[in-house]
Amino acid sequence: MDAKGWAALAMREAGLWLCWATTADRATAVELEDHVLTALHGQGLWNLRGPSARGGDQHP
């Protein structure tokens, strides 16, 4: 099985769902991301950064 297959299997086994949201601009997208990360904090999910972990906008 390739990496894509393993990732799909892992998401099914963990009961994870993936969804997208469209925002008006980048600032709103970053605000939404912070809100979601704050809501999910402590749930054992992996992310490169936690909620509000940046002092300023550190996204590339």
Side-chain angles (χ1 to χ4, degrees):
M1 188 179 309
D2 62 4
K4 183 178 177 181
W6 280 111
L9 178 62
M11 288 183 69
R12 276 195 308 274
E13 291 295 318
L16 300 176
W17 290 87
L18 179 66
C19 56
W20 287 260
T22 302
T23 60
D25 54 31
R26 188 174 189 284
T28 306
V30 170
E31 182 180 335
L32 175 60
E33 181 183 18
D34 277 343
H35 178 76
V36 170
L37 291 173
T38 297
L40 296 176
H41 185 70
Q43 297 297 313
L45 300 176
W46 177 82
N47 194 293
L48 290 177
R49 67 174 185 84
S52 301
R54 65 195 184 316
D57 190 359
Q58 296 178 356
H59 291 273

